[in-house]
Amino acid sequence: MNLYREIFDSDLGQMVVVASDNGVCFLAFGDMSGVDKEQLILQEMFDAKIIDTPNAFTAQTRQEIDEYFNKQRTVFEVPLDIQGTSFQCQVWEQLKKIPYGEITYYQALAAAVNRPSAMRAVALANKHNRISIIIPCHRVIGKKGDLVGYSGGLWRKEKLLLLEKTTVDANAQC
């Protein structure tokens, strides 16, 4: 079995997308620390080799990310092939429910997965999210409103939140 990789440019830097035959399993900014290590982990998880050949899912991801940055997409439709523990998957599914342009806090996310005292575990699951933007971990901020915990860099988190806020604000004026 192979995993398919495509590297493309976005408004916030180069992105790497990896997909299986079932959907996207990895999307990250190319300059993030640990990108190479994560891809090695993926190869082990899927018992597959990553090849630099796009497939339908990598192409769809590139298109949807481009539409996202051009304020033409607020919901992603590309299928995902998520691999993680049961708890991680539960947290990631909850992340996908955070509406575009909105934010939440680790405490609220922990409560949403029925583990109100597990804020650290939720933060760790957030950290292990392998699908940036589409599984919107950037929408989780500190309880005091501070930007915390984004492996793509806090400056990117700020830009992503600003992009979504300005899109929502512009649509509200119509």
Side-chain angles (χ1 to χ4, degrees), residues 3-174:
L3 294 173
Y4 306 91
R5 176 172 49 206
E6 185 172 348
I7 299 171
F8 62 93
D9 292 325
S10 78
D11 286 11
L12 296 181
Q14 193 174 71
M15 298 198 79
V16 178
V17 59
V18 178
S20 69
D21 290 326
N22 298 315
V24 172
C25 53
F26 182 78
L27 175 64
F29 292 98
D31 63 354
M32 286 174 30
S33 68
V35 167
D36 293 335
K37 180 181 177 184
E38 284 294 328
Q39 290 177 77
L40 290 173
I41 291 169
L42 280 175
Q43 290 181 103
E44 289 178 25
M45 290 173 91
F46 284 88
D47 191 24
K49 181 181 176 192
I50 295 177
I51 59 172
D52 286 316
T53 302
N55 74 359
F57 300 123
T58 65
Q60 183 178 350
T61 301
R62 180 177 23 85
Q63 178 182 341
E64 289 186 10
I65 291 293
D66 186 52
E67 292 167 353
Y68 169 84
F69 280 114
N70 286 313
K71 301 181 181 184
Q72 299 167 331
R73 176 171 296 278
T74 59
V75 176
F76 293 94
E77 298 170 2
V78 65
L80 304 179
D81 192 353
I82 301 170
Q83 302 290 318
T85 67
S86 175
F87 179 74
Q88 287 173 330
C89 291
Q90 190 179 13
V91 171
W92 299 334
E93 285 302 318
Q94 198 62 43
L95 285 171
K96 290 176 10 184
K97 294 178 183 178
I98 304 168
Y100 180 95
E102 294 187 21
I103 55 171
T104 194
Y105 308 96
Y106 289 102
Q107 184 175 14
L109 192 56
V113 295
N114 297 315
R115 301 272 303 271
S117 62
M119 286 184 294
R120 285 185 184 208
V122 165
L124 190 58
N126 228 22
K127 179 181 177 180
H128 289 291
N129 170 25
R130 289 183 180 91
I131 306 176
S132 296
I133 301 175
I134 295 174
I135 298 179
C137 56
H138 64 276
R139 295 180 188 153
V140 182
I141 65 171
K143 188 167 184 172
K144 295 178 182 175
D146 47 336
L147 299 182
V148 294
Y150 190 64
S151 59
L154 292 181
W155 70 272
R156 281 195 180 109
K157 183 172 191 161
E158 182 177 28
K159 296 275 188 188
L160 293 169
L161 293 173
L162 183 61
L163 169 79
E164 293 181 10
K165 183 183 181 323
T166 59
T167 303
V168 169
D169 289 350
N171 288 340
Q173 294 176 3
C174 296

